[in-house]
Amino acid sequence: MRNVDELIDEALDAEERELLRSIGDEPGFVERAMGLFGAGMGWMVTFMMVGQTLLFLAGVWAAWGFFEASDPVTQLRWGFPAAVLLLASLAVKLGVAAPIHANQIMRELKRIELQIARGAKR
């Protein structure tokens, strides 16, 4: 993959290289995730993250009760909800991965569009 990037970089003229460098490197995961809050569906991402946090905290509370319980029936009464809540928390968090991936693909498509537009001007 690195060889292809180097070949593309060699094919670009100096102005295009400078423009692509000004766009910057790929943002990290945290930067991508924080970028979702400002998008058109930022309210939905906020709602999902608040819900995920509440599910996680409730799961930790139930897990605490599970480890504090002494008899097996009480352990089941705390352990099952703990597992379900923690897995639900994980599922909600994984729901944010799809928009992050879509934004990454859109960023690459914009770069390709830029290169095509600059090539058409020549």
Side-chain angles (χ1 to χ4, degrees), residues 55 58-60 62-63 74-87:
L55 286 169
V60 168
T74 308
Q75 286 177 337
L76 279 175
R77 287 184 182 155
W78 283 105
F80 184 70
V84 169
L85 288 167
L86 290 173
L87 287 174

Side-chain angles (χ1 to χ4, degrees), residues 37-77:
F37 287 101
M41 292 185 50
W43 66 272
M44 180 61 85
V45 174
T46 303
F47 179 74
M48 288 174 65
M49 287 293 103
V50 168
Q52 185 271 332
T53 302
L54 292 175
L55 286 169
F56 179 76
L57 292 175
V60 168
W61 177 67
W64 186 277
F66 168 77
F67 287 113
E68 291 292 318
S70 58
D71 64 293
V73 174
T74 308
Q75 286 177 337
L76 279 175
R77 287 184 182 155

Side-chain angles (χ1 to χ4, degrees), residues 12-122:
L12 299 174
D13 62 12
E15 184 181 352
E16 288 175 341
R17 265 186 251 136
E18 184 60 34
L19 183 61
L20 289 174
R21 282 192 186 99
S22 70
I23 292 173
D25 292 333
E26 282 294 317
F29 177 78
V30 174
E31 191 176 344
R32 288 181 192 159
M34 291 300 142
L36 292 177
F37 287 101
M41 292 185 50
W43 66 272
M44 180 61 85
V45 174
T46 303
F47 179 74
M48 288 174 65
M49 287 293 103
V50 168
Q52 185 271 332
T53 302
L54 292 175
L55 286 169
F56 179 76
L57 292 175
V60 168
W61 177 67
W64 186 277
F66 168 77
F67 287 113
E68 291 292 318
S70 58
D71 64 293
V73 174
T74 308
Q75 286 177 337
L76 279 175
R77 287 184 182 155
W78 283 105
F80 184 70
V84 169
L85 288 167
L86 290 173
L87 287 174
S89 168
L90 177 64
V92 171
K93 187 168 290 256
L94 288 175
V96 177
I100 289 175
H101 185 66
N103 287 347
Q104 182 180 6
I105 290 173
M106 291 303 296
R107 182 179 172 101
E108 290 301 320
L109 283 175
K110 298 259 185 220
R111 284 185 180 172
I112 292 170
E113 287 176 2
L114 175 65
Q115 291 174 352
I116 290 172
R118 302 218 18 112
K121 280 188 175 179
R122 290 187 214 170

